Amino acid sequence: MDKIVIEGGKRLSGEVKISGAKNAALPILVSSLLADGWSTFTNVPDLRDIRTVCKILENHGATVLLDENDSSVIRINGSGLNNFEAPYDLVRQMRASILVLCPIVARLKKARISLPGGCAIGARPINLHLKGLEKLGAKIELKHGYVEASAEKLIGAEIYFDIPTVTGTENLMMAAVLAEGRTILGNAAMEPEIVALADVLNNMGADVRGAGTSEITINGVDSLQPVNSRIIPDRIETGTFITAAALTKGDITITDCEPSHISAVINKFELAGVKIKSEKNTIHVQGQDVITSVDVKTLPFPGFPTDMQAQFMVLMCAANGTSMITETIFENRFIHVSELKRLGAMIKVSGNTALITGGAQLSGAPVMATDLRASASLILAGLIAKDSTSVSRVYHLDRGYEALEKKFANLGASIKRVPE
Ligand code: EPU
């Protein structure tokens, strides 16, 4: 297993290119199961979660071709789809595997998918995915740790999500596109990844309207065609580089990104005193000597994303004053706090609120990554900590950040990956 070793104190500068978004790529690659024939996806990030979803699609009978010359191009042919079962060994590697549930029921009339279970950041139930699929006419049973779903025919219905769920909305969109009649998804998630999936489905011949608002209307069609699609930029990777520039008082130009997808994040950085200039697909960040404390509450899009909470907390550790971060999406998403404290951060957690006293001089230490975004926050902390920080268990990082340490090294960070 590798670890990332950082010598803190370098000011970052230069240009960094943002990769395709993991959380857009996952449902979009899965959507290839809905059509016979070759779909081509470009700007796919080279990540462990992407390799996992490819294995899952192959397990169901799809053919997956990776481009030998360009790892960001993946071709998938869904015409071989024949296996309705996703075993525990595959699903436990990535919770988002549950995204195959609805497409498989829509095409094979039944699915048997292992229940994903919880993860470090929370219990993460899938009850809303199941309730929605049931409303579309599927019979659902939970047996021996598996969801067993069957439906001779899916029929459009009105589904209201008690909580806006990102993968739940995506899953049900992929059932409704092939259901008979009209489906309305109320209180739907509004994330850019939902809009990206809707665009792909519409290019396949589906009729999905209202994606990006809280009500999505889907008129079912008989069949869909394969598609060519470019994955949208990763807004969380973008936010992570903004944090790095702000923390190291650096000067970074972030290219190939989509500023409108992170308006709430940019707003908080500006309140913290960071100078940000956004153009069409570029963000220029100039860190300032003084970072002002700002309170943050995580919310569904267009609010401040939970996936940026750990990174922003590191910025607040370096701010001049006290700030409060409230996590409202996941019940256990402060696991990075105890590791940040090992570096000298002054943070008190009470329930879903963290009180951060800024101004601590962080000093390097060995720390352990506990989930994807926590890993990024520890590396960010390492960039400003005195002396050496080593972050172990970086397989979490490799799930969702493409070559993060190489991108930081290109910006002037002293950072390397070493075998543990
Ligand atoms: N929820 C339920 N029941 C459900 C589904 C969700 O109670 O059936 C609750 C969850 O427990 C949570 C809230 O609803 O409290 C929102 O969860 P959501 O379903 O939106 O999360 P998700 O779809 O499982 C996606 C991202 C996460 C990101 C969240 C929130 C993907 C593959 N994953 O997860 O990304 O944090 O939305 O924005 O899109 C990450 O990339 O590090 C990551 C964890």
Side-chain angles (χ1 to χ4, degrees):
M1 232 186 292
D2 295 344
K3 63 181 176 181
I4 304 277
V5 180
I6 311 131
E7 299 295 327
K10 295 276 193 303
R11 178 179 177 270
L12 302 194
S13 66
E15 198 172 292
V16 62
K17 180 177 175 299
I18 294 303
S19 302
K22 163 182 86 78
N23 289 348
L26 293 174
I28 287 173
L29 295 184
V30 168
S31 73
S32 62
L33 292 180
L34 292 166
D36 289 340
W38 288 101
S39 290
T40 303
F41 304 100
T42 55
N43 202 34
V44 182
D46 187 5
L47 304 171
R48 200 154 65 91
D49 273 7
I50 297 296
R51 291 190 284 279
T52 304
V53 81
C54 289
K55 268 195 260 165
I56 287 166
L57 297 177
E58 284 177 325
N59 162 70
H60 292 296
T63 312
V64 179
L65 279 186
L66 307 179
D67 193 300
E68 277 177 17
N69 303 314
D70 184 352
S71 66
S72 72
V73 179
I74 296 186
R75 293 187 176 80
I76 305 175
N77 190 333
S79 54
L81 176 65
N82 58 6
N83 178 17
F84 61 86
E85 181 164 325
Y88 179 59
D89 261 1
L90 278 177
V91 176
R92 75 187 166 87
Q93 292 177 35
M94 185 184 70
R95 297 193 76 268
S97 312
I98 193 64
L99 283 166
V100 298
L101 173 68
C102 287
I104 290 182
V105 175
R107 292 215 72 203
L108 297 181
K109 301 185 189 328
K110 61 177 175 179
R112 185 168 187 268
I113 313 292
S114 173
L115 281 163
C119 76
I121 62 175
R124 306 188 74 181
I126 54 157
N127 58 313
L128 301 175
H129 302 228
L130 303 184
K131 213 171 110 188
L133 188 56
E134 226 164 15
K135 270 227 148 182
L136 295 178
K139 187 168 161 262
I140 294 190
E141 286 182 288
L142 300 183
K143 274 192 202 159
H144 308 298
Y146 278 76
V147 183
E148 296 187 356
S150 58
E152 256 326 293
K153 189 155 83 172
L154 294 173
I155 298 177
E158 285 195 22
I159 295 166
Y160 183 86
F161 293 106
D162 295 338
I163 307 171
T165 155
V166 176
T167 47
T169 303
E170 292 162 349
N171 222 341
L172 286 155
M173 280 163 72
M174 290 193 278
V177 284
L178 288 179
E180 186 180 292
R182 172 172 297 187
T183 297
I184 295 177
L185 303 178
N187 199 24
M190 301 192 284
E191 272 67 4
E193 293 76 20
I194 305 280
V195 179
L197 175 63
D199 286 345
V200 168
L201 294 171
N202 285 337
N203 286 335
M204 294 171 86
D207 181 357
V208 181
R209 298 168 196 201
T213 73
S214 62
E215 186 172 289
I216 303 177
T217 303
I218 300 155
N219 293 305
V221 295
D222 290 338
S223 65
L224 296 171
Q225 294 83 49
V227 74
N228 291 343
S229 159
R230 183 177 168 81
I231 304 300
I232 59 168
D234 195 311
R235 61 194 168 102
I236 305 303
E237 189 196 11
T238 307
T240 303
F241 280 104
I242 297 178
T243 319
L247 271 172
T248 64
K249 310 193 191 315
D251 189 331
I252 299 184
T253 302
I254 302 170
T255 69
D256 297 67
C257 60
E258 182 48 72
S260 66
H261 291 172
I262 50 163
S263 304
V265 173
I266 289 176
N267 176 256
K268 288 294 176 185
F269 277 95
E270 285 177 336
L271 289 173
V274 182
K275 283 223 161 54
I276 298 187
K277 202 169 142 217
S278 305
E279 284 156 29
K280 196 165 173 276
N281 296 115
T282 303
I283 300 176
H284 183 199
V285 193
Q286 271 181 314
Q288 303 298 306
D289 284 343
V290 177
I291 300 168
T292 307
S293 298
V294 185
D295 292 345
V296 161
K297 186 192 243 185
T298 64
L299 289 169
F301 192 85
F304 190 95
T306 173
D307 292 344
M308 270 300 297
Q309 180 255 106
Q311 301 89 315
F312 199 80
M313 186 178 285
V314 179
L315 186 74
M316 289 303 99
C317 290
N320 68 345
T322 303
S323 58
M324 200 163 81
I325 295 186
T326 310
E327 170 61 48
T328 74
I329 307 293
F330 293 113
E331 64 272 23
N332 193 30
R333 214 173 195 182
F334 283 143
I335 23 180
H336 43 280
V337 168
S338 48
E339 297 302 295
L340 290 176
K341 281 166 101 169
R342 298 197 67 246
L343 299 176
M346 297 183 285
I347 308 170
K348 274 196 188 131
V349 173
S350 168
N352 70 343
T353 301
L355 197 71
I356 302 120
T357 305
Q361 166 62 61
L362 303 187
S363 64
V367 285
M368 208 150 52
T370 44
D371 79 279
L372 171 56
R373 308 303 169 187
S375 326
S377 76
L378 295 174
I379 292 176
L380 288 168
L383 292 175
I384 53 161
K386 205 165 175 298
D387 303 325
S388 180
T389 298
S390 65
V391 182
S392 57
R393 297 198 179 167
V394 289
Y395 52 86
H396 290 292
L397 186 79
D398 295 338
R399 290 187 55 183
Y401 280 96
E402 186 176 51
L404 189 66
E405 78 278 10
K406 289 194 185 122
K407 290 186 179 185
F408 276 144
N410 284 341
L411 293 169
S414 171
I415 181 169
K416 59 182 185 218
R417 178 182 287 255
V418 292
E420 223 166 348

